[in-house]
Amino acid sequence: MRQSRIFLPTLKESPSDAEVASHKLMLRAGLIRKVAAGIYNLLPVGLRVIRNVETVVRREMKRAGAEEVLMPSVLPAELWKESGRWDFYGKELLRLKDRHGRDFCLGPTHEEIVTDMVRYEVRSYKQLPLNLYQIQTKFRDEIRPRFGLMRGREFIMKDAYSFHATDECANAEYQSMHDAYSRIFEGCGLEFRAVEAEAGNIGGSFSHEFMVLADTGEDAVVSCTTCNYAANVERAEIRQPKDEVLSKENLPTIEKISTPNKKTIEEVSEFLGLSKAELVKTLIYEFKKDKDEKGLVAVLLRGDQDLNEAKLMRVLEANEVTLATDALITEVTNAPTGFAGPVGVSISVYADFGVRELSSCVVGGNEVDIHLKNVVPERDFKAKYFDLRIATEGDLCPKCDGVFELRRGIEVGHIFKLGTKYSESMGAKFLDENGKEKPMIMGCYGIGIGRIAAAAIEQNHDENGIIWPFQLAPFKVHIVLVNIKDEESVRVGTELYEAFTEKGLEPLLDDRKERAGVKFNDADLLGLPVRIVIGPKTLAEGSVEVKERISKEASLVKVKDAVGEVLSLLKL
RNA sequence: CGGGGCGUAGCGCAGUCCGGUAGCGCACCGCGUUCGGGACGCGGGGGUCGGAGGUUCAAAUCCUCUCGCCCCGACCA
């Protein structure tokens, strides 16, 4: 492609609403432009990158035996009502009505529609297993879209769905997808980690996320420093220290202390001159189980630790947990928010293991402006103890003797063992070899295509611009003509351009009427793997300059050796 | 949805407090010089100041409403 003709608008300054490197660079290098919050145009060069990601994904999906389909992006509400998610999915589901007033939504994911597609056609175990995937535009009306393609509302996703007759078969497919995903992210030149994850809205029995490690990642993951256990902090289990028999003898008795208007952990710890770990916070939670069964619990955590709501939900076997309203808290504790405590409350008390490790602590007094000190767990209140907190640096690994380290990651892929959640609710059944009707066992496997591109930039850039991994690079070789008025330069440039094209290497020829400095800066911004500079200065000796984007040094190479040199640099 | 902030030329911003000819840098167009790391000179084009109402002789500026965008939080494949 000739740069004088391509639609590639680069920017010297980044628009003020871009925060992270990938977003800024995608705008500056002319890959994307914003249309609305979380909605982008993909410009030619941006599209090329997306296509390259898709190529890697298709190659590995094919290799893993999956078949490509394409489902619609506008979906009828009835399917969503059938699975129960029409009411459950919340505002993230963008709902619309057609001219007849019928309900539709823009597809945020396609479990319902794919299950619907398969249930009418598959009758027998002989037709299973199946793995169908698509690469398609999704829409999720995110509360807060941000960071460009990293968290858009409209985005391109590869989503695959598998159907199986047996659990073993489904598990094998899960593993096969796990392997395929690893090859995909390797194929995209990314440093990543597969971690155990929460299944969230999609549901299912277990799941893994594929995280590209980057400081700007939105997710936190812990990984064990000694074994290979790694998990999203939302998921990570924490091993409890050995039960030491804490002496509960000879401890001072409870004492009421006045803490006027000191409500938060920060305020109380500062006021009393105690560390946060010596305080215990009491959260009043409302929970819902199936069939409108509701209840309230008090949840205790050490002041320096945070609740993991997913763990609480599991312990309570609840579908939904929400922090109680101020009014409810007052009703239950007889005190305004900020003074709740476990001593003498009427509702059941669930506590994180971390609380039991304290010999005594400070808690809310269930009375205005009062806290209690010298409160001894077990002696002064009863609670059921569980692992309820969010894992963090230094927590103990559940699989070995190690401890966790904390890293940030960008979730680029997520695989789920769904089980029969959708096949049961939607009646996707088959006859097994004994003629017995059973629900299909399902899995689903997603990859954020645009997010991979963004993650690749997060992981591979410097102060001058992008440094594309070879596989994703929109062009592979950048041929820069320093002076387009020099006929010899143009001749050699064109010759090399044709030679690379013949090798299938997709060169970009900078034949613009610009000064050299402008071209060099644009080349660094755009970040193609190899740059060849052609100008009268080196051409006088029959040489051109060859430089990899990652390296600082350029080398002079004879014109006739240029193609070979580039191929060897790229290890092709 | 709660808290904070911002909408002025394609991009980055000043002007708003204190009403009185709409500005600066980059980008763009023309001419000339320059030409291997974001050149310089001269000349030029481009704005319903997010929108609607109001106050006023006069509104980018003051008042009311509204729309959009960004950040933090809660939430989320």
Side-chain angles (χ1 to χ4, degrees):
Chain A
M1 189 77 218
R2 288 170 180 274
Q3 214 165 330
S4 59
R5 293 201 37 205
I6 197 171
F7 182 50
L8 174 56
T10 58
L11 259 24
K12 269 192 201 176
E13 292 170 289
S14 27
S16 58
D17 52 8
E19 281 280 307
V20 298
S22 61
H23 188 194
K24 286 182 188 165
L25 290 171
M26 280 188 170
L27 288 164
R28 289 227 291 134
L31 309 196
I32 61 170
R33 285 294 183 266
K34 184 168 75 172
V35 175
I39 299 176
Y40 290 84
N41 281 326
L42 280 173
L43 275 37
V45 174
L47 217 214
R48 279 175 168 266
V49 173
I50 295 299
R51 292 284 180 254
N52 289 342
V53 175
E54 291 175 355
T55 299
V56 174
V57 169
R58 285 200 171 91
R59 184 183 73 211
E60 295 303 335
M61 291 306 288
K62 184 177 180 186
R63 183 164 157 190
E67 281 182 289
E68 186 165 1
V69 296
L70 187 56
M71 294 179 267
S73 54
V74 175
L75 309 176
E78 50 181 2
L79 289 175
W80 285 75
K81 287 177 177 161
E82 206 178 330
S83 72
R85 280 158 117 197
W86 183 257
D87 298 318
F88 229 38
Y89 212 93
K91 288 190 186 158
E92 220 177 299
L93 188 63
L94 185 67
R95 293 150 215 257
L96 12 126
K97 284 185 192 294
D98 70 5
R99 67 198 300 166
H100 305 291
R102 287 186 289 243
D103 288 318
F104 285 85
C105 65
L106 287 185
T109 177
H110 283 68
E111 283 80 10
E112 283 78 0
I113 183 113
V114 76
T115 305
D116 177 63
M117 178 168 73
V118 166
R119 67 177 164 182
Y120 290 118
E121 315 306 332
V122 175
R123 293 270 93 106
S124 155
Y125 72 96
K126 292 173 196 162
Q127 292 164 283
L128 296 174
L130 275 177
N131 188 339
L132 303 172
Y133 79 97
Q134 64 174 346
I135 293 178
Q136 189 236 24
T137 299
K138 301 275 187 263
F139 194 95
R140 292 184 192 169
D141 202 355
E142 292 280 347
I143 294 169
R144 192 145 91 80
R146 57 185 140 182
F147 303 153
L149 294 195
M150 200 102 102
R151 176 174 290 267
R153 292 194 291 174
E154 184 177 294
F155 57 100
I156 301 170
M157 178 167 164
K158 189 281 313 184
D159 47 326
Y161 305 87
S162 70
F163 300 83
H164 309 270
T166 66
D167 214 42
E168 297 71 50
C169 182
N171 290 345
E173 188 67 14
Y174 187 88
Q175 190 54 47
S176 159
M177 283 292 113
H178 194 291
D179 296 345
Y181 273 38
S182 298
R183 288 195 301 268
I184 287 167
F185 301 122
E186 274 160 26
C188 290
L190 298 170
E191 190 198 338
F192 70 99
R193 193 114 194 213
V195 307
E196 290 184 13
E198 276 301 325
N201 239 341
I202 304 290
S205 40
F206 53 88
S207 86
H208 281 85
E209 286 168 332
F210 289 78
M211 296 283 191
V212 168
L213 300 175
D215 293 337
T216 47
E218 292 190 273
D219 289 284
V221 300
V222 288
S223 55
C224 178
T225 49
T226 40
C227 75
N228 62 5
Y229 181 80
N232 192 309
V233 291
E234 293 168 4
R235 171 75 203 185
E237 292 162 34
I238 302 169
R239 175 167 52 86
Q240 299 311 315
K242 299 267 181 294
D243 278 341
E244 289 170 38
V245 184
L246 291 171
S247 166
K248 307 272 176 181
E249 314 265 313
N250 301 323
L251 289 168
T253 53
I254 293 189
E255 198 180 315
K256 274 192 188 185
I257 41 178
S258 168
T259 50
N261 214 25
K262 304 297 177 194
K263 298 182 172 185
T264 65
I265 290 289
E266 277 80 18
E267 288 164 356
V268 176
S269 84
E270 193 181 318
F271 182 72
L272 299 176
L274 295 170
S275 77
K276 290 185 194 172
E278 295 170 274
L279 312 183
V280 165
K281 56 185 164 191
T282 306
L283 309 171
I284 308 297
Y285 263 86
E286 200 176 354
F287 65 89
K288 272 186 209 160
K289 296 191 181 188
D290 290 331
K291 299 182 189 93
D292 300 321
E293 188 187 340
K294 279 175 154 180
L296 283 170
V297 286
V299 182
L300 305 186
L301 289 143
R302 250 168 54 188
D304 59 335
Q305 298 175 336
D306 293 311
L307 176 67
N308 182 333
E309 290 189 353
K311 287 180 180 176
L312 180 63
M313 270 202 263
R314 229 169 289 141
V315 163
L316 293 171
E317 294 174 342
N319 286 328
E320 198 184 328
V321 294
T322 42
L323 217 38
T325 58
D326 286 0
L328 260 177
I329 290 171
T330 308
E331 196 185 313
V332 174
T333 66
N334 302 315
T337 314
F339 300 98
V343 181
V345 286
S346 53
I347 54 178
S348 46
V349 178
Y350 286 72
D352 180 70
F353 285 118
V355 171
R356 197 165 53 185
E357 294 158 28
L358 298 169
S359 58
S360 82
C361 58
V362 170
V363 301
N366 294 329
E367 209 174 311
V368 186
D369 295 345
I370 294 291
H371 276 75
L372 303 176
K373 72 175 194 180
N374 302 327
V375 172
V376 178
E378 303 293 79
R379 183 191 74 180
D380 298 323
F381 62 85
K382 294 289 175 215
K384 295 173 193 160
Y385 291 90
F386 297 95
D387 168 18
L388 292 177
R389 66 180 193 261
I390 290 182
T392 188
E393 183 101 22
D395 276 330
L396 305 177
C397 173
K399 299 280 151 86
C400 76
D401 293 336
V403 293
F404 288 154
E405 65 171 355
L406 189 65
R407 308 247 349 224
R408 299 203 70 81
I410 300 164
E411 180 193 351
V412 289
H414 200 156
I415 59 179
F416 304 80
K417 165 89 181 289
L418 290 177
T420 56
K421 174 173 171 168
Y422 296 92
S423 52
E424 245 162 40
S425 63
M426 299 185 63
K429 294 175 183 155
F430 68 99
L431 295 182
D432 71 8
E433 50 234 294
N434 303 316
K436 199 177 154 208
E437 188 173 65
K438 285 181 174 172
M440 298 174 201
I441 298 170
M442 294 173 58
C444 87
Y445 320 93
I447 287 183
I449 301 289
R451 202 179 263 190
I452 287 182
I457 295 174
E458 282 308 320
Q459 220 171 51
N460 303 287
H461 69 274
D462 63 15
E463 63 282 3
N464 296 320
I466 304 170
I467 305 174
W468 285 115
F470 179 79
Q471 302 84 339
L472 303 191
F475 301 91
K476 309 308 182 192
V477 183
H478 207 162
I479 304 171
V480 177
L481 301 179
V482 164
N483 183 352
I484 59 163
K485 284 181 190 154
D486 179 57
E487 284 178 17
E488 181 65 0
S489 296
V490 174
R491 193 186 64 74
V492 172
T494 307
E495 198 179 291
L496 288 177
Y497 178 82
E498 279 160 9
F500 282 118
T501 303
E502 214 163 283
K503 295 278 179 198
L505 262 189
E506 298 191 273
L508 178 64
L509 179 67
D510 193 348
D511 58 345
R512 292 175 301 166
K513 185 171 174 276
E514 286 288 351
R515 298 167 61 84
V518 172
K519 295 187 177 190
F520 292 147
N521 282 302
D522 273 349
D524 286 346
L525 220 207
L526 193 55
L528 304 183
V530 179
R531 188 186 78 187
I532 299 180
V533 176
I534 300 174
K537 214 166 78 181
T538 59
L539 227 40
E541 311 158 21
S543 299
V544 295
E545 181 189 300
V546 175
K547 178 181 164 298
E548 280 187 283
R549 176 63 179 84
I550 14 164
S551 76
K552 297 260 177 274
E553 302 295 312
S555 55
L556 284 180
V557 177
K558 294 291 176 204
V559 173
K560 63 177 169 52
D561 300 330
V563 173
E565 172 68 13
V566 169
L567 291 176
S568 85
L569 275 179
L570 294 174
K571 299 178 180 65
L572 294 173

